[in-house]
């Protein structure tokens, strides 16, 4: 038979387990997760909204391609990316054909699944931005939409904080646009700055990209960085 002391210890353990379970439930319920997959189901975009941040992952056949990459903006009215709540998700399937002006074919079939996620600050007058994601069989595309809002009819955007935390040792072929300037700066040295895999910061990255005009099919850029844990983009 249990004595009184053993009964009290058992009750304390049950109370402790209940508190832990309640805490875990509250933590999970505070997170909002949603995803959209390509028509063939192999490519998936996953979004996570918490009180601290908005981030996304992309995986192909359950293998991670981009992980824990933050989304957000810096406006004159303050940062946008914390204390957000996702609204009702709208989904639709797209299967359309459009004419191609220049290319190997005259028409192109565009087939994808689309997800629109409203992201809004908690107050009634809080700022609202829609994230529109399209998942194709061969790629992921997303954009931001700024709906008309009476409480936020004008703004100055200081920075877009979209990150692309690539996994592994990726290679990218980038088309060179003459006269293109990143970050609003115009010196030759600044024009050669580009995206460093893993940093997620385009214009703010310290990696210097060198252009190789002899690369087939466009211009190839090779990154150079002395930091041992930095991944180069080629």
């Amino acid at each position: 038979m249990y004595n009184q002391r053993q009964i009290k210890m058992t009750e304390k353990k049950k109370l402790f387990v209940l508190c832990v379970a309640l805490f875990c439930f509250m933590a999970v319920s505070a997170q909002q997760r949603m995803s959209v997959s390509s028509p063939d189901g192999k490519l998936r975009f996953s979004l996570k909204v918490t009180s601290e941040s908005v981030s996304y992952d992309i995986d192909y056949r359950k293998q991670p391609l981009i992980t824990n990459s933050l989304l957000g903006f810096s406006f004159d009215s303050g940062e946008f990316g914390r204390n957000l709540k996702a609204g009702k998700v709208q989904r639709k399937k797209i299967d359309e054909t459009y004419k191609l002006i220049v290319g190997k074919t005259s028409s192109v079939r565009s087939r994808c699944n689309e997800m629109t996620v409203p992201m809004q600050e908690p107050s009634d007058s809080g700022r609202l931005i829609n994230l529109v994601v399209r998942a194709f069989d061969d790629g992921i595309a997303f954009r931001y939409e700024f709906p008309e809002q009476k409480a936020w009819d004008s703004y100055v955007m200081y920075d877009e904080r979209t990150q692309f935390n690539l996994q592994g040792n990726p290679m990218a072929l980038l088309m060179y646009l003459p006269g293109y300037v990143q970050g609003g700066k115009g010196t030759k040295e600044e024009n050669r700055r580009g995206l460093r895999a893993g940093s997620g910061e385009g214009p703010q990255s310290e990696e210097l990209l060198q252009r190789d005009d002899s690369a087939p099919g466009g211009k190839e850029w090779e990154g150079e960085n002395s930091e041992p844990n930095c991944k180069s983009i080629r």
Side-chain angles (χ1 to χ4, degrees), residues 8-21:
K8 288 183 178 180
M9 289 297 294
T10 302
E11 291 177 349
K12 288 182 179 179
K13 288 181 180 179
K14 290 182 178 179
L15 181 61
F16 175 75
V17 172
L18 180 62
C19 291
V20 172

Side-chain angles (χ1 to χ4, degrees), residues 54-222:
V54 178
S55 61
Y56 73 95
D57 301 307
I58 297 177
D59 60 82
Y60 178 72
R61 290 183 173 178
K62 298 183 179 180
Q63 296 296 318
L65 302 179
I66 296 179
T67 61
N68 195 31
S69 297
L70 299 179
L71 302 176
F73 294 89
S74 175
F75 295 107
D76 57 338
S77 54
E79 297 291 322
F80 186 91
R82 295 170 59 92
N83 298 319
L84 299 179
K85 184 177 181 181
K88 184 178 180 181
V89 178
Q90 298 180 2
R91 300 177 183 274
K92 68 177 180 179
K93 295 182 179 181
I94 298 175
D95 193 348
E96 58 189 10
T97 302
Y98 62 89
K99 297 295 182 180
L100 191 64
I101 298 177
V102 179
K104 295 182 179 181
T105 181
S106 60
S107 63
V108 176
R109 183 186 181 188
S110 177
R111 180 169 173 260
C112 66
N113 293 325
E114 183 182 274
M115 174 179 72
T116 300
V117 183
M119 300 183 297
Q120 188 170 24
E121 294 170 325
S123 63
D124 294 337
S125 60
R127 297 170 295 179
L128 169 67
I129 296 179
N130 292 332
L131 176 67
V132 183
V133 186
R134 289 186 175 184
F136 302 82
D137 287 341
D138 58 354
I140 295 286
F142 63 85
R143 69 174 186 264
Y144 301 98
E145 291 182 346
F146 294 75
E148 185 176 352
Q149 303 162 65
K150 292 182 179 180
W152 193 35
D153 57 358
S154 65
Y155 61 84
V156 177
M157 182 189 299
Y158 295 133
D159 194 12
E160 178 191 348
R161 303 193 185 282
T162 305
Q163 294 185 348
F164 302 89
N165 293 327
L166 305 174
Q167 299 303 296
N169 187 23
M171 176 178 291
L173 293 178
L174 310 178
M175 296 299 292
Y176 174 67
L177 299 178
Y180 176 74
V181 179
Q182 284 192 346
K185 300 179 181 179
T187 67
K188 181 179 180 180
E189 194 74 6
E190 288 162 344
N191 287 350
R192 296 169 65 194
R193 292 186 180 276
L195 174 67
R196 182 181 65 199
S199 71
E201 302 292 343
Q204 298 177 4
S205 170
E206 295 181 356
E207 180 166 11
L208 189 62
L209 299 184
Q210 295 181 339
R211 182 162 62 93
D212 181 6
D213 293 336
S214 63
K219 310 301 182 181
E220 188 176 46
W221 299 71
E222 182 171 354

Side-chain angles (χ1 to χ4, degrees), residues 30-34 47-51 53-54 84-86:
Q31 298 181 0
Q32 294 178 280
R33 294 177 179 268
M34 57 283 298
L47 184 70
K48 182 174 71 173
V49 181
T50 70
S51 60
S53 64
V54 178
L84 299 179
K85 184 177 181 181

Side-chain angles (χ1 to χ4, degrees), residues 16-30:
F16 175 75
V17 172
L18 180 62
C19 291
V20 172
L22 182 61
F23 175 78
C24 293
F25 173 77
M26 292 176 64
V28 172
S29 62

